[in-house]
Amino acid sequence: MLHIREPRTLKKPVGASALEILDITADAAGLPAYDGHERVWCGRDEARGLTAIVAIHNTALGPALGGTRVWPHESFEAALTDALRLSRGMTYKSAIAGTPFGGGKAVIIADPKTGKTPALLSAYAEMLSVLEGQFFTAEDVGLTLADADFLRVHTANVVGTTRGGSGNPSPVTAHGVFLGLKAALAHRRGTDRLDKVGVAVQGLGAVGWALCEKLHDAGARLAVADIDAGRAARAQEAFGAEIVAAADIVGTDVDVIVPCALGGVISRATIPQLKAEIVAGSANNQLARHEDARLLMEKGVLYAPDYVINAGGLINAAAELGPGGYDREAAMERVARIPETLRDIFTRSERQGRPTSDIAAEIAMDRITAAFTR
Ligand code: NAD
């Protein structure tokens, strides 16, 4: 159990608010997931039920931009670890996608079904405002378009809303993953035809569902899993999908595994179960450990690095903050370049005998280092 020490910097909201914002960077630095993060904030408001973490990993390329996850983590330390890993991923994602933003991510510890009261969300909006543009956020697991719209009424630091913004990023993320999945298929098989290709989708939320629609339309044979049995049943009805138990989805006998739920699904424990030849999905931090990428490669599985293939939503939302404002056509053109980036990574990986995720990290780091030395 992590105990927050006395705050080194305390940001004070204006007025009589009970919200307190603590700098917990030094506490975070004691965790294995800490990776030189610039700043980690914890926002607490007991009366309004808020415990939120905003992790800012690296701002070499611009202010931090990343989604807000609402999830009932079993401990503060687990939530902090999630925020640290996710924000680091955002740094790499932005760098690879060529968006002028740094990596950040927020986690609100709450049940997304019962905990997102207007009071909690308004306390969180206040926290975002107090951070004064250090961090821009959008939807993620547990935070819906309606929630983002609600936050936008109270703070300017939210993108991906219908209140003058680019709307829900999830369908754009799904589109990018769909294009990336086809690029992986073409790389492996010489054709990107999805007709009768077996695809197992884990997680039927905002991205997973939109992706299933595209895969179904393209003729793929779907297997699905969701911890929400209702969603799986709806997918069975809508797409003729086979329902698989959540614990078994990675080992399903299909061609492509599509993780669209939470992280860590590809691990030492699950890799031996894999029958698919491709892993390509939207979930962040799909690999439990960095080294798992090599295990995948040695097993002959082509892995589309998560932060490359799932950058569509980021590209779309980031376009709101660019000069001239949001231009959907230009944003979608950039999303359409995700397959090109993946093809380059796949080719280099094969040529160099190194995991695709190592190649992706190298490209991202080169860009970040170049920004530092400019
Ligand atoms: P969501 O909250 O809308 O959906 C997540 C779904 O996964 C839910 O239906 C949930 O019940 C299910 N789920 C959770 N744990 C599961 C498990 N163990 N097995 C099966 N199902 C499980 O979230 P989303 O916005 O669709 O995001 C999905 C993933 O994609 C997340 O990892 C997110 O960080 C990542 N991502 C999302 C976006 C975006 O634009 N929304 C962009 C980039 C990355």
Side-chain angles (χ1 to χ4, degrees), residues 11-27:
K11 291 219 161 201
K12 269 274 169 228
V14 284
S17 166
L19 173 70
E20 52 174 4
I21 300 177
L22 315 177
D23 179 349
I24 59 164
T25 316
D27 304 273

Side-chain angles (χ1 to χ4, degrees), residues 69-71 86 90 93 105 112-113 139-144 168-174 177 201-209 225-229 231 245-247 249 259-263 265 281-286 306 310-314:
R69 175 165 295 189
V70 184
W71 198 253
L86 288 164
M90 289 309 296
K93 192 186 302 196
K105 198 90 178 189
K113 286 204 171 119
E139 294 87 340
D140 191 65
V141 173
L143 195 96
T144 64
N168 189 354
S170 308
V172 185
T173 301
V177 174
V201 180
Q202 181 203 37
L204 299 165
V207 180
W209 188 272
D226 198 295
I227 49 171
D228 181 333
R231 289 188 184 178
I249 191 81
C260 291
L262 301 180
V265 65
S282 77
N284 284 306
N285 298 328
Q286 289 169 34
D306 45 17
N310 73 12
L314 167 74

Side-chain angles (χ1 to χ4, degrees), residues 35 37 55-59 61-69 82-106 135-140 159 173 282-285 306-308 310-315 317-318 364 368:
D35 176 53
H37 287 68
I56 296 171
H57 176 247
N58 184 299
T59 56
L61 296 173
L65 171 61
T68 295
R69 175 165 295 189
D82 207 16
L84 292 174
R85 291 193 78 205
L86 288 164
S87 56
R88 177 178 182 272
M90 289 309 296
T91 298
Y92 285 79
K93 192 186 302 196
S94 243
I96 285 264
T99 55
F101 289 93
K105 198 90 178 189
F135 176 62
F136 292 88
T137 198
E139 294 87 340
D140 191 65
V159 290
T173 301
S282 77
N284 284 306
N285 298 328
D306 45 17
Y307 56 80
V308 181
N310 73 12
L314 167 74
I315 292 168
I368 294 161

